[in-house]
Amino acid sequence: MTTPHENRLWHFLGSTQIVATTSTLGFGWHCLDMQHGLWTEEKILAAFAGQNTETLAVRLRSASYSDIGFALDAGATHVIVPMINTAEQAAAVAFAARYPPQGGRSWGPLTALTGSPVRSPAEANEQVHLTAMIETRHALANIEAILDTPGINSIFVGPFDLALDLGTDVDSLLRDPGSPLRRIADACNSRGTKVGAYAGSAERATAFTALGYDWAVADSDTTLLAAGATQSLQIPLPNRQSVY
């Protein structure tokens, strides 16, 4: 049985080759991390050229107009915006992510420069999926107001930053019967808003889904690389195979 965390892969390494390879292996969703990964603007443009962009999300460096606009201009439809702490910040990023009359996004699709299709403003507004990250005690206090902000499509919890701000650790938060992680899930579920989290392991991903999360990221390009290397080292040399 497929669980909610099995088909989502986080990419830190900034490798378009890894994205191209893993996109053929059954992962239905890939996130390119510009905030804590090695993804540059040039690499983002290369990743979106010739790829099925519906399966690619971008975690931005910031909530700035320029960062939101760049990712969307490059071809992204799903952007994950870090450190959203208030309804006012949520409203600002929702405005930045959409063309008038719904928002204030500037026209200038970079896909026109790479030979990829250009979405009309109406199509772009309809297709954009904006995810707000909840990562601080400030955001936790404002979760209901953030969720009620028009234009926020889903929530993504950064549990490591949240735990750090609360003076604890992720595993303790997951074990706590009154965990703020459950409060976030309950607030999202009551409104029909999808909520996910970065788990970093299959065990934590299972714990998140038990709390009511719709999905959790268990795997990244770095963990898969380490797991593959470890497995390879356990196989006798004569039995190793290569595509070359």
Side-chain angles (χ1 to χ4, degrees):
M1 182 176 66
T2 300
T3 56
H5 58 266
E6 287 180 338
N7 291 326
R8 299 176 185 269
L9 183 61
W10 204 265
H11 292 264
F12 291 108
L13 295 176
S15 170
T16 56
Q17 292 85 359
I18 291 177
V19 173
T21 298
T22 55
S23 66
T24 67
L25 300 179
F27 290 99
W29 183 92
H30 302 256
C31 183
L32 316 182
D33 191 344
M34 297 187 76
Q35 185 188 27
H36 294 306
L38 302 179
W39 288 94
T40 62
E41 292 185 351
E42 183 178 3
K43 290 178 178 179
I44 290 289
L45 286 170
F48 276 92
Q51 287 288 333
N52 177 8
T53 59
E54 292 180 1
T55 68
L56 297 182
V58 177
R59 200 259 288 269
L60 305 177
R61 292 170 297 200
S62 73
S64 71
Y65 240 69
S66 58
D67 281 356
I68 294 169
F70 166 76
L72 294 172
D73 287 348
T77 56
H78 186 179
V79 291
I80 301 173
V81 186
M83 294 293 178
I84 299 300
N85 292 318
T86 67
E88 291 75 18
Q89 290 176 337
V93 298
F95 187 79
R98 293 171 176 88
Y99 292 114
Q102 290 95 331
R105 178 182 170 189
S106 175
W107 176 258
L110 294 172
T111 52
L113 308 178
T114 61
S116 299
V118 175
R119 302 181 184 94
S120 71
E123 289 174 329
N125 283 353
E126 182 179 345
Q127 293 174 12
V128 68
H129 185 103
L130 184 62
T131 298
M133 288 200 70
I134 303 300
E135 307 178 79
T136 67
R137 63 172 69 234
H138 193 183
L140 180 64
N142 293 317
I143 183 60
E144 288 83 5
I146 292 171
L147 282 167
D148 291 338
T149 302
I152 298 299
N153 301 110
S154 63
I155 294 296
F156 186 63
V157 176
F160 294 90
D161 277 326
L162 180 59
L164 186 65
D165 198 25
L166 294 174
T168 184
D169 59 79
V170 176
D171 293 322
S172 295
L173 286 180
L174 287 169
R175 289 192 299 265
D176 181 3
S179 174
L181 295 174
R182 183 183 293 277
R183 178 190 163 191
I184 295 170
D186 289 345
C188 291
N189 293 337
S190 68
R191 289 165 171 79
T193 301
K194 297 294 185 183
V195 57
Y198 185 85
S201 71
E203 292 77 17
R204 287 198 191 104
T206 299
F208 272 108
T209 55
L211 287 177
Y213 284 70
D214 296 288
W215 52 275
V217 177
D219 295 314
S220 69
D221 51 5
T222 55
T223 58
L224 292 186
L225 179 62
T230 299
Q231 182 181 26
S232 181
L233 290 172
Q234 295 172 350
I235 300 173
L237 280 171
N239 296 324
R240 297 184 192 178
Q241 297 181 359
S242 172
V243 296
Y244 297 107

